[in-house]
Amino acid sequence: MLYQSQSGPLKGMNPRVTIIATSTMVFALIAGVFHTERTAAVISSVRATLDPMLGWYYPLLVAFLLFFMLWLGTGRYKNVRLGHDRELPEFTFFSWITMLFAAGTGIGIIFWAVAQPILQFQSNPFSGESTAAEVATIAMRLSFFHWGLHAWAIFSFVAMVLAYFAYRHDLPLTIRSALYPFLGDRIYGPIGDAVDTLAVFGTVFGIATTLGLGVQQMNAGLGFVFGLQSSVELQLAIVGGLMLIATISVVSGVHRGVRMLSVANFWISLGVALFVLFFGPTQYLISSTIQATGDYLQNLLSMAFYTHANHNSDWQADWTIFFWGWTLAWSPFVGMFIARISRGRTLREFVMGVLLVPTLISIVWIGLLGGTALHQELFGSGGVVEAVNRDVTSALFVTIEKMELGTLGIFVSAVVNILIGTYLVTSANAGTLVVTTILAGGDPEPPTAHRIVWGIVLTLLTGALLLAGGLEILQSAVITAALPFSVVIILMILGTLRALEAEAFAPLPGVRSETPHELWIVPAEAGEEALAYAIKQPGPAQPGEGEQASTTSEDETVPAKQRAKPALEDQSIA
């Protein structure tokens, strides 16, 4: 077990990791607030030094993760469960897919859904002598690439590793558990502490970047709806207000309220998408999205290994390196969320669901919003390009305004502002939970006081990065913070491969005394249904068609190779 302090201010936390992480974040905050210009210069300098190496390192790593996840989902280990062999999924397939929808949408994709296609439409290394219509398809293809299969390969890998070692091998729900096949119980020592600390650093900067982008976009939206001027002071006020709401929800422990916010996000997102589809250029949006999807799939392999080697521009650094670095830093957050809802899934179910469902959602969202903006540039009155060049955070609201729907357009802009706000609150709340879960050694219910402290830290860090230079510094900081965690990712790959060597090829179908339940039904409320299900079960061995249900004990009917739980203790180097 991971050591947790039993008394004092660090009660319930891993003291070593907590002290190191907190001290480092306090140092970063002091530097960002009191030495703003120097901090910005240092971050920019570090990024400029790293960019040439990251230009090939990040694409190669992310491409490998995609192939690795596809292999896990279709290869010899596809029937391995993220849980014990005879365990069914915790949630029904519909509930699981619905929650993956929540994971697949968020502040990032709301921010970039219009801005990225428009910016790529203006300049990208693949256009050449193409016509404007062809460049529009290329712009959509590149947007799909940065939000599609590769990004979700990173998220799904981290989620799979967390779920596999926590639910199948009963290890702590932290990153360090992936090293157990090599280190054994030494993961509870300094090496494991270092791994979890790097995960915390990456997660904190990933969350701060996401919050910073969302706050800047919300600032622009308030300008469109209420005429407020964009300013750093207003952005800091928004950060403080939203984090206060998130902290109150943490202290109150009102899980139903957080759940209601998540459900509201789902319906508001769906409403915005349908509004754009039906009030925008419907036929164009459908056809252009289908065409761009085909272009994306056709060029997937070449884009995966594209390194910008023959160009002397910052395109690769500004786009692919930033998105892969951001995704790597953000992966412990998204990964832990997906892991906690995926217990009992086979690797085949998990990989197909986590790779395909969020990717499809991203394609539809970008296709509708980005496609509307491109249609206005190609066939309408234009103006989106100029607006984005002036202020990239205004992209979505300018697109809605250019639809010329009068009061309805203003109403939709207000709804989008609400959507951004709710996503920021839920992201901040869940982000503090993930960070404190890692610091608490995998405890899914870390002390409330530490959630409050880290909520404050995230607020201050986001404010410091906004003061240091806004979007550019946010991008540079997250790219830099992701680099050390990318090394941890490589170690996680090796640890997972080592652990999988002990797996049986085809475990038995899952059986448990509690049926999968819908998201809105907690296990206590499903007690009678679960009991009825357990009574109906014929026994551990499932008879084939036309056979009698056997009364033989499980140990006699289940082959030893399938009964045995993978023995990581035998693999680890003590």
Side-chain angles (χ1 to χ4, degrees):
M1 288 293 293
L2 283 173
Y3 171 69
Q4 292 179 328
S5 181
Q6 301 302 310
S7 61
L10 297 180
K11 182 179 180 180
M13 308 295 285
N14 183 321
R16 294 187 297 264
V17 179
T18 302
I19 291 173
I20 294 172
T22 304
S23 301
T24 305
M25 288 300 105
V26 169
F27 175 78
L29 287 173
I30 293 174
V33 173
F34 297 103
H35 303 280
T36 304
E37 294 183 0
R38 179 171 295 182
T39 300
V42 169
I43 292 175
S44 299
S45 176
V46 171
R47 179 182 175 180
T49 302
L50 293 176
D51 276 349
M53 183 269 289
L54 296 181
W56 59 263
Y57 171 64
Y58 277 174
L60 190 62
L61 175 61
V62 176
F64 177 82
L65 287 176
L66 176 58
F67 291 124
F68 183 69
M69 293 306 298
L70 290 174
W71 172 69
L72 286 180
T74 59
R76 60 186 293 186
Y77 301 116
K78 63 181 180 292
N79 292 324
V80 172
R81 288 188 181 275
L82 300 177
H84 302 306
D85 281 349
R86 303 179 66 77
E87 186 173 4
L88 283 179
E90 180 179 2
F91 298 102
T92 64
F93 185 77
F94 176 77
S95 292
W96 184 58
I97 292 297
T98 302
M99 288 184 282
L100 288 179
F101 180 93
T105 55
I107 291 300
I109 197 170
I110 293 174
F111 185 95
W112 291 109
V114 173
Q116 185 170 358
I118 289 296
L119 291 172
Q120 301 288 8
F121 178 68
Q122 297 179 72
S123 175
N124 70 74
F126 306 99
S127 296
E129 301 298 325
S130 303
T131 64
E134 292 170 337
V135 174
T137 300
I138 294 172
M140 294 293 283
R141 177 224 302 174
L142 294 173
S143 301
F144 292 170
F145 172 60
H146 289 135
W147 291 97
L149 294 171
H150 284 76
W152 285 97
I154 301 173
F155 291 143
S156 63
F157 170 75
V158 175
M160 182 275 297
V161 172
L162 287 169
Y164 177 75
F165 285 99
Y167 304 142
R168 191 161 181 82
H169 297 294
D170 301 315
L171 291 169
L173 189 65
T174 61
I175 303 297
R176 71 173 74 201
S177 296
L179 305 185
Y180 191 89
F182 298 119
L183 301 178
D185 289 340
R186 284 183 291 174
I187 66 168
Y188 304 119
I191 297 177
D193 291 342
V195 168
D196 280 353
T197 302
L198 292 177
V200 168
F201 289 162
T203 303
V204 167
F205 279 98
I207 295 171
T209 299
T210 301
L211 294 177
L213 293 175
V215 165
Q216 289 178 327
Q217 189 177 35
M218 193 171 182
N219 188 172
L222 291 174
F224 275 87
V225 178
F226 300 107
L228 300 178
Q229 294 295 320
S230 179
S231 66
V232 175
E233 291 77 12
L234 180 56
Q235 292 169 13
L236 294 177
I238 294 172
V239 172
L242 292 173
M243 290 301 292
L244 177 62
I245 296 173
T247 303
I248 291 174
S249 68
V250 169
V251 174
S252 64
V254 185
H255 298 296
R256 190 175 301 274
V258 176
R259 188 186 307 171
M260 289 174 62
L261 277 179
S262 300
V263 173
N265 287 343
F266 170 81
W267 290 111
I268 295 174
S269 300
L270 183 61
V272 171
L274 292 176
F275 166 81
V276 173
L277 176 62
F278 292 120
F279 286 88
T282 305
Q283 301 304 323
Y284 173 82
L285 295 179
I286 296 174
S287 60
S288 65
T289 301
I290 294 173
Q291 178 174 302
T293 302
D295 190 52
Y296 162 60
L297 295 175
Q298 183 178 356
N299 292 277
L300 187 61
L301 191 62
S302 62
M303 289 189 297
F305 294 101
Y306 182 78
T307 60
H308 209 59
N310 299 316
H311 295 268
N312 186 23
S313 70
D314 295 329
W315 185 89
Q316 181 82 343
D318 291 342
W319 291 105
T320 304
I321 294 177
F322 164 62
F323 274 105
W324 292 169
W326 187 16
T327 307
L328 287 166
W330 191 238
S331 60
F333 167 78
V334 179
M336 190 168 291
F337 170 76
I338 296 175
R340 291 179 69 171
I341 66 174
S342 299
R343 181 166 190 160
R345 297 284 167 190
T346 64
L347 287 181
R348 176 170 52 190
E349 291 175 317
F350 179 85
V351 171
M352 294 302 105
V354 180
L355 274 183
L356 297 183
V357 173
T359 295
L360 180 61
I361 293 166
S362 300
I363 287 174
V364 171
W365 184 263
I366 295 172
L368 294 178
L369 298 177
T372 300
L374 289 172
H375 182 271
Q376 291 170 356
E377 288 299 318
L378 291 173
F379 308 107
S381 58
V384 181
V385 168
E386 291 79 2
V388 169
N389 290 339
R390 286 195 307 269
D391 182 6
V392 69
T393 63
S394 68
L396 176 56
F397 297 100
V398 170
T399 300
I400 296 173
E401 182 184 50
K402 292 293 182 180
M403 294 174 71
E404 299 180 351
L405 297 173
T407 305
L408 181 59
I410 297 175
F411 172 76
V412 173
S413 294
V415 171
V416 170
N417 262 318
I418 295 174
L419 179 64
I420 294 171
T422 55
Y423 270 124
L424 284 171
V425 169
T426 52
S427 295
N429 198 348
T432 57
L433 177 61
V434 168
V435 170
T436 50
T437 295
I438 296 174
L439 294 178
D443 185 354
E445 294 295 334
T448 300
H450 287 274
R451 295 194 222 177
I452 297 173
V453 169
W454 277 93
I456 296 172
V457 169
L458 283 172
T459 304
L460 296 176
L461 181 61
T462 303
L465 292 174
L466 289 171
L467 285 172
L471 180 59
E472 182 178 351
I473 295 302
L474 288 170
Q475 292 176 322
S476 299
V478 76
I479 289 170
T480 305
L483 179 59
F485 186 65
S486 70
V487 178
V488 175
I489 291 281
I490 295 174
L491 297 177
M492 292 167 68
I493 294 171
L494 298 176
T496 302
L497 286 172
R498 182 74 178 272
L500 286 172
E501 292 177 359
E503 293 289 352
F505 291 113
L508 290 177
V511 176
R512 56 186 255 172
S513 60
E514 180 184 320
T515 59
H517 57 274
E518 301 294 353
L519 172 62
W520 51 86
I521 300 178
V522 297
E525 296 171 354
E528 294 184 2
E529 178 187 351
L531 179 61
Y533 175 83
I535 294 174
K536 293 178 182 177
Q537 295 308 301
Q542 300 298 302
E545 184 176 354
E547 297 177 343
Q548 296 289 330
S550 174
T551 58
T552 311
S553 68
E554 179 178 340
D555 288 340
E556 294 173 333
T557 58
V558 181
K561 184 177 182 181
Q562 295 180 343
R563 285 200 314 270
K565 177 183 174 183
L568 291 185
E569 292 82 358
D570 296 336
Q571 291 184 321
S572 62
I573 303 173

